Amino acid sequence: MIVLFQNGIGIEEPFVKRFPQNPLVSSVSFVSVKQETAGELRHGGFSLLAAGLHNPRESLVGGELEKLQFLFNAFESQGVSCMIEADIQPYRWQKHILNGSTNPVSVICGGSSCQEMVENSHCKWLLEESMAEIFALGKTVTGKSFPGVDGIVDPQSATDYIKSIPVPVYTSMLVDSQCKRPMEREVILKNPITLAEKHGVDVPHMRALYALTTMIEEGYNK
């Protein structure tokens, strides 16, 4: 059994192709955390882990379920809430509402925290427009509504949630950019854009964010 922990959309496909006989568990973590220094992490006030088989038509057999539950017991012993879902993809798209918007926008803003971005009216508008595209695309792809984790049910409630986080949140893509590391542009932006083309969903803001973050990454060595 393979258990994946990674943000983004379409993260499972390379593993499906490489290990077609292995049960594949896709996990989604809802947690605010920043690495201050090597070995030092600053956590926010909320931790939730949701997981389920990548293919919802399959099911975990006894031994596989026991292994996953053993892993979850370890997380729960440290105060992380865990759940096993029959269909994990709505949760992955739910998480992507924040990932797919705040990550690239923070890079383009040049280093702003998520809270600073939503306090700026122009940036807040861009975030909410991008979030609206993710809502529309995710519902089209999955055929389901999102679970509403953190009370996030639309772009406005998403930016309200960001405002409510007491600790400044800096995105992982921003940290990668500041360290001149490759950013997760493919799973955060490119894969959703490819799905949008397949399903006929218009995502102009997502396309613009992908173009700009690509230019930023290609300019690292200039």
Side-chain angles (χ1 to χ4, degrees), residues 17 19 32 61-62 64 84 87 101-102 107-108 117 125 141 214:
K17 294 177 181 178
F19 306 102
S32 57
V61 299
E64 295 163 352
I84 299 175
D87 187 356
S101 56
T102 60
V107 173
I108 295 165
M117 290 190 290
W125 173 86
V141 171
T214 298

Side-chain angles (χ1 to χ4, degrees), residues 5-17:
F5 293 85
Q6 183 185 350
N7 290 330
I9 302 299
I11 69 165
E12 304 91 351
E13 297 310 319
F15 295 89
V16 171
K17 294 177 181 178

Side-chain angles (χ1 to χ4, degrees), residues 103-123:
N103 267 286
V105 173
S106 67
V107 173
I108 295 165
C109 285
S112 298
S113 70
C114 293
Q115 290 90 336
E116 289 170 332
M117 290 190 290
V118 298
E119 290 297 333
N120 179 284
S121 61
H122 302 291
C123 192

Side-chain angles (χ1 to χ4, degrees), residues 1 60-70 84:
M1 180 175 68
L60 290 168
V61 299
E64 295 163 352
L65 185 59
E66 288 178 5
K67 291 176 183 177
L68 184 60
Q69 191 60 61
F70 177 82
I84 299 175

